Amino acid sequence: MRAFTYERATSPADAAEAVVRKPGAKFIAGGTNLLDLMKLQIETPTHLVDVNRLGLDAIEPTPEGGLRIGALVRNTDLASDARVRKDYAVLSRALLSGASGQLRNKATTAGNLLQRTRCPYFYETALPCNKRAPGSGCAAIGGLTRNHAVLGASDACIATHPSDMAVAMRVLDATIETVSPDGTRRAIPIADLHRLPGNEPQNDTTLSMGELIVSVTLPRPIGGVHVYRKVRDRASYAFATVSIAAVLVFDRDRVVRGRLAFGGVAHKPWRVEAAEAEVGRGAEAVAEVVLSGATTTEHNAFKLPLVRRTLAATMTDAAKG
Amino acid sequence: MSSNVGRRTFLKTTAAAVLAATESGSNLQAVNAQTIAKASSAAPTRLTVNGNDLTVDLDSRTTLLDALREHLQLTGTKKGCDQGQCGACTVLVEGRRINSCLTLAVMHDGQAITTIEGLGTPDKLHPLQRAFVAHDGFQCGYCTPGQIMSAAGVLDEVSRGVPSHVTRDLTAAVRLNDTELRERMSGNICRCAAYPNIVAAIRDVAGYRA
């Protein structure tokens, strides 16, 4: 790990200001991803601003009937919250399918959104990677690409976003609230938080330098049957090969409307609202729209039939309640 | 190895041999460590470890794991992968299990840490420690402190109603069974694959039947 200086922030605005004041500074919250990357010198911050003591750890009802989740609410606590389990079960399910008990106790809501890709070429500092070293090239393209993106990738990067939680938040239309170094606050729909790689895969999100996530707001509950189905190489503690967050509304055993977001397939949680109009026609019809424009390699072509089959299984499961 | 030499004695002897073999390089390492410490040392960190209030002066890069092992000589907590995958470094911070390798000691200033040394003593074992012995819940033993600390965390989480990936009904009370236990313990790897006996040991303490 490279040497760095450390300070503990006392307010969100101070934290944001502290990060822009020192070049090379970064926020640290749970640290479970950042410290791993620092040990490998993939991340080399010169200064860490610890935001763990800022409060921001409450889950509160909003006047609109939704929930405001503090940025520092730990994954375990969010998944365990009675209101989340009852009204936003897809979020509990997604959180509980990710990482291990120890990591979920430490990882935060904001940190989960901001975690970096687990592309093995991003992790291998001896190889080029446009996300780690902009302009150096992409060693994944032409390499072993079993776990890489099949949607929305670019010639510069084919990495996927690893979060389960973010896929559920995408289907719930969450809003991300931030504070900037000059004290201004803004609200970002989760659809606009994560970027597609394009020519700047080094930028995972649309956040500016020093912009600190302070909370995530869920709109009022939308009812329906909530399912998070995750396909992975082992039964527990593994990243998704393909995952689906679904909220489906049934009339008896017929699905009449629904929302669907997909993980493990792109640089961001993947949701195609136009595909959701097809839910009444079945999983194949939905998948047809979701997967239009997909590009595959010989290693990850299996993800397209896997998405179709996982979607069919998800919709069948949901119909059972 | 002759049968009258215990495993612990063997490990101690081996460790001494390894230390001796690397001694020629140790002076250089000491100098480097000092220089680096000056470059990035943080304010003294106060930790309450197993009930003892301690103050340590650490390089800001020191993980909680290294602070425990290298600075406080609490070597019960093990370093396996050092990247949060194996769980050997599991400790309780403010009563919750975490990977001590993936957090900085300075981040825990003023907090209470429980390590395997604080859970029980050789004279007065914690029920989980006793159950691991009774059920032979280990072979080489390297992952065992992490397994036991993680199990302590699991039992507390279940008592607080924390659900898991395999909990069928998110709105019902959480009840432990072997499927729940295996899922909840998936962050602790045992290379000897003592899993059946680890599950049996924890089941014994949790007080349910398979």
Side-chain angles (χ1 to χ4, degrees):
Chain A
M1 211 185 292
R2 296 271 180 83
F4 56 86
T5 47
Y6 169 91
E7 74 175 280
R8 199 170 289 128
T10 51
S11 78
D14 284 351
E17 212 259 316
V19 158
V20 283
R21 198 171 46 229
K22 293 205 177 179
K26 270 191 171 293
F27 301 117
I28 187 163
T32 54
N33 188 205
L34 180 59
L35 287 168
D36 185 30
L37 294 169
M38 284 169 65
K39 288 181 185 185
L40 297 165
Q41 299 192 9
I42 294 162
E43 296 274 13
T44 52
T46 55
H47 183 65
L48 285 183
V49 178
D50 183 347
V51 297
N52 280 291
R53 311 280 169 110
L54 295 184
L56 305 179
D57 53 1
I59 306 175
E60 300 163 317
T62 64
E64 294 77 28
L67 280 184
R68 178 169 295 113
I69 304 157
L72 293 169
V73 172
R74 309 289 153 169
N75 288 177
T76 300
D77 298 327
L78 183 54
S80 305
D81 185 272
R83 295 159 293 185
V84 177
R85 287 154 80 169
K86 179 171 161 286
D87 294 327
Y88 307 96
V90 66
L91 178 57
S92 275
R93 290 290 183 200
L95 282 159
L96 295 170
S97 77
S100 66
Q102 290 96 318
L103 290 170
R104 288 191 296 271
N105 277 343
K106 198 80 167 71
T108 63
T109 304
N112 190 316
L113 289 170
L114 300 181
Q115 63 181 305
R116 313 292 317 264
T117 185
R118 273 20 177 237
C119 172
Y121 299 96
F122 173 71
Y123 266 78
E124 179 47 73
T125 52
L127 292 173
C129 168
N130 287 321
K131 188 180 278 297
R132 174 171 29 81
S136 63
C138 174
I141 295 173
L144 297 169
T145 51
R146 183 173 175 276
N147 287 320
H148 289 78
V150 292
L151 289 159
S154 73
D155 292 341
C157 180
I158 58 170
T160 57
H161 195 266
S163 172
D164 294 294
M165 184 196 79
V167 181
M169 284 185 168
R170 179 70 181 87
V171 96
L172 293 169
D173 283 334
T175 303
I176 317 303
E177 284 101 21
T178 68
V179 61
S180 289
D182 64 2
T184 57
R185 291 177 171 259
R186 67 166 176 152
I188 308 164
I190 189 166
D192 301 333
L193 177 70
H194 297 105
R195 295 178 66 259
L196 287 180
N199 290 322
E200 294 177 0
Q202 69 273 23
N203 297 323
D204 293 348
T205 71
T206 54
L207 297 180
S208 312
M209 186 64 200
E211 191 173 4
L212 177 72
I213 296 177
V214 290
S215 58
V216 176
T217 296
L218 303 178
R220 57 185 305 157
I222 52 169
V225 178
H226 289 224
V227 179
Y228 189 78
R229 193 174 181 111
K230 178 173 178 178
V231 182
R232 43 185 161 174
D233 287 340
R234 59 185 183 201
S236 183
Y237 197 15
F239 289 100
T241 300
V242 161
S243 71
I244 301 181
V247 178
L248 298 166
V249 177
F250 290 84
D251 178 12
R252 282 187 289 268
D253 60 348
R254 257 184 67 81
V255 58
V256 289
R257 60 177 192 280
R259 298 182 185 181
L260 298 159
F262 299 79
V265 293
H267 199 255
K268 60 188 285 187
W270 195 261
R271 182 173 171 197
V272 183
E273 273 86 348
E276 294 167 6
E278 306 290 326
V279 289
R281 295 178 52 223
E284 267 303 320
V286 175
E288 191 69 28
V289 182
V290 170
L291 297 175
S292 66
T295 52
T296 61
T297 67
E298 59 172 320
H299 303 131
N300 68 14
F302 76 96
K303 285 192 178 185
L304 303 192
L306 188 59
V307 165
R308 288 192 191 96
R309 291 167 188 171
T310 307
L311 183 58
T314 301
M315 291 174 69
T316 309
D317 272 3
K320 291 176 196 157
Chain B
M1 198 192 326
S2 69
S3 61
N4 62 350
V5 179
R7 179 164 56 188
R8 200 160 291 274
T9 316
F10 172 72
L11 287 174
K12 274 185 186 163
T13 317
T14 314
V18 171
L19 285 178
T22 55
E23 201 167 12
S24 55
S26 66
N27 283 342
L28 183 61
Q29 280 166 9
V31 172
N32 280 343
Q34 260 182 1
T35 317
I36 292 163
K38 274 182 192 156
S40 58
S41 79
T45 302
R46 297 162 301 131
L47 301 171
T48 303
V49 183
N50 301 328
N52 302 312
D53 294 330
L54 305 167
T55 302
V56 264
D57 199 0
L58 301 167
D59 184 306
S60 52
R61 288 169 292 186
T62 312
T63 61
L64 180 58
L65 172 62
D66 285 342
L68 292 169
R69 286 183 57 84
E70 311 298 334
H71 297 267
L72 301 174
Q73 280 70 50
L74 290 168
T75 53
T77 308
K78 298 295 186 249
K79 182 181 279 192
C81 68
D82 208 26
Q83 53 184 19
Q85 294 192 354
C86 76
C89 68
T90 304
V91 300
L92 306 182
V93 173
E94 298 287 311
R96 294 166 59 126
R97 58 177 174 149
I98 65 160
N99 300 116
S100 63
C101 74
L102 283 186
T103 193
L104 299 171
V106 290
M107 289 161 63
H108 297 284
D109 185 60
Q111 294 186 336
I113 320 293
T114 308
T115 70
I116 189 72
E117 292 93 341
L119 202 66
T121 64
D123 300 327
K124 197 182 174 194
L125 295 178
H126 183 276
L128 279 165
Q129 292 171 315
R130 216 178 309 128
F132 268 68
V133 173
H135 290 274
D136 209 10
F138 47 82
Q139 287 174 44
C140 83
Y142 195 80
C143 74
T144 312
Q147 298 278 0
I148 291 176
M149 296 312 292
S150 192
V154 166
L155 296 181
D156 172 62
E157 286 161 20
V158 170
S159 75
R160 288 189 286 114
V162 173
S164 87
H165 173 61
V166 298
T167 305
R168 279 184 191 278
D169 183 353
L170 283 181
T171 56
V174 174
R175 294 188 62 171
L176 208 50
N177 55 43
D178 282 1
T179 310
E180 283 278 0
L181 202 50
R182 286 175 181 278
E183 161 62 25
R184 289 166 190 269
M185 291 294 292
S186 71
N188 291 83
I189 310 294
C190 172
R191 284 296 302 271
C192 307
Y195 298 111
N197 295 357
I198 292 170
V199 170
I202 305 170
R203 182 200 299 139
D204 198 355
V205 177
Y208 70 89
R209 293 195 177 176

